[in-house]
Amino acid sequence: MTGMLVGAIVIGDLADRFGRKKGILVSALLLSTSGVISAVSPNYYVFLLMQFFTGAGSSGLILVIYVLAVEFIGVKWRAFCGINIQIPFALGEAMTGVLAVFIRDWRWLQLAVTAPAFLFISYTCLLPESVRWLVVQGRYDEAKKIIQRIARVNNVEVPRHLLDDHNMESRPVDGTVSVTSNDIELVNESRPEAKIKKTVIDLLRTPVTRMRSFNMFFCWCVCSLVYYGLSSNSSSLSGNVFVNFIATMLVEIPSYIFTFPVIDRLGRKASLSFMFSLGGVACFTSGFIPQGNYWLVVGLSLVGKFGIAAAFAIAYIYSAEIFPTEYRSVAVGTCSMCARTGGILQPFIASLADIYKPLPLLIFGVLSLVCGCLTVFLPETVGCELPQTLQESEAFGSDQSTWYFTCCSSCNKTSTPEENVSAHDV
């Protein structure tokens, strides 16, 4: 988990500076090489060090691939892609359990789950660089070639005035994703403005934004803590450990499918609060179920994982909308760091089962319920014109009551989710 924290920052910055393809290449090399060395580690300390680098490589690979995919997706389908791209992640988690059924030696299993990362290296040269990143870097000729290639594949024509316009720097770009913001930051600012140093301290200077920032930081920390906690706890449930693990991973898929239509219809706040509460109630209740009731305990654990996985997906989008544009990158980046902190704390919470077996689940449940309550104090963002500056952020949501959950005409700008480009830039 510490490696994932470092990898998200270092490799994310590398991808922002030198390109998405280089970020993928470095991540794949780091993940595959350290993973293979882990499998042949002569002692625990070498294994521990290699696990650090494996975490860094995997975190960087996930982030950069996510960003590259989203940067090629149009505004209309970006939210859909941003949520459902998590489905292959869940399939990969489940595949680890499937491999473990047949590979019982931990060294060979470690090799089996990390060596395939070498495949990324074999076709990195075939991946196109992000057009948005190239435009931001002023490499317009390379961007034009990729656009023309895309047009040929899709059998469409690119308007000539777009390719012939040499003043592309002044043309508004439809968002460019920053990897250092952990997946989802979209910068619609001009390049001179982007050079102004922004820090998280600025978000804590004003009372309303400060309260919302701490609220989101805590929610991200709990998301990661409970998400990885339930994943690890699947091995301690009664019954077949492999079936429990695979089911715990696969239950994420329906949660992501369920999330996409819900977040627009119920709103971000109501959806996030409900998912936190669902996961919290399930975890808390399962802590009091006697272990003899195998199916009930496993079922509640799966419901808890369903809720927290959906909450994590919603938190990604909600955070990018709730913070002002000029500070969105640093804000979501800080949220990511808080999430990694939760992941680091998770093993210590899990170890409390030695004192009282249901204690970790009770802690997961209480923290999730607390987040479900805290989310109520956040403003709704669906259908509203999102804040661009700190001043606008302070005023944003002032016309909404605490129990305001759905978009209404009192928002600054009323529109359908499909029409609201800002709300779907993630």
Side-chain angles (χ1 to χ4, degrees), residues 77-96:
W77 294 102
R78 193 170 290 148
F80 177 84
C81 176
I83 291 177
N84 289 292
I85 201 173
Q86 308 284 352
I87 292 177
F89 183 84
L91 290 173
E93 291 177 309
M95 183 57 65
T96 303

Side-chain angles (χ1 to χ4, degrees), residues 62-133:
I62 292 169
L63 294 182
V64 182
I65 288 178
Y66 180 99
V67 166
L68 184 62
V70 171
E71 285 186 330
F72 274 104
I73 300 297
V75 173
K76 181 179 180 181
W77 294 102
R78 193 170 290 148
F80 177 84
C81 176
I83 291 177
N84 289 292
I85 201 173
Q86 308 284 352
I87 292 177
F89 183 84
L91 290 173
E93 291 177 309
M95 183 57 65
T96 303
V98 174
L99 290 172
V101 173
F102 302 100
I103 306 174
R104 297 304 177 91
D105 184 272
W106 73 266
R107 292 183 183 273
W108 285 106
L109 180 61
Q110 173 71 24
L111 189 64
V113 298
T114 54
F118 279 114
L119 295 175
F120 282 109
I121 303 172
S122 65
Y123 63 83
T124 301
C125 59
L126 301 178
L127 292 175
E129 183 55 86
S130 168
V131 173
R132 304 185 194 281
W133 182 82

Side-chain angles (χ1 to χ4, degrees), residues 206-247:
T206 52
V208 175
T209 305
R210 178 171 58 245
M211 180 188 69
R212 293 172 183 170
S213 297
F214 282 127
N215 196 333
M216 291 305 303
F217 296 162
F218 180 71
C219 287
W220 275 68
C221 182
V222 172
C223 270
S224 181
L225 173 65
V226 179
Y227 177 89
Y228 289 108
L230 290 175
S231 298
S232 300
N233 189 65
S234 62
S235 62
S236 64
L237 297 175
S238 302
N240 188 297
V241 62
F242 301 103
V243 173
N244 291 343
F245 181 85
I246 294 170

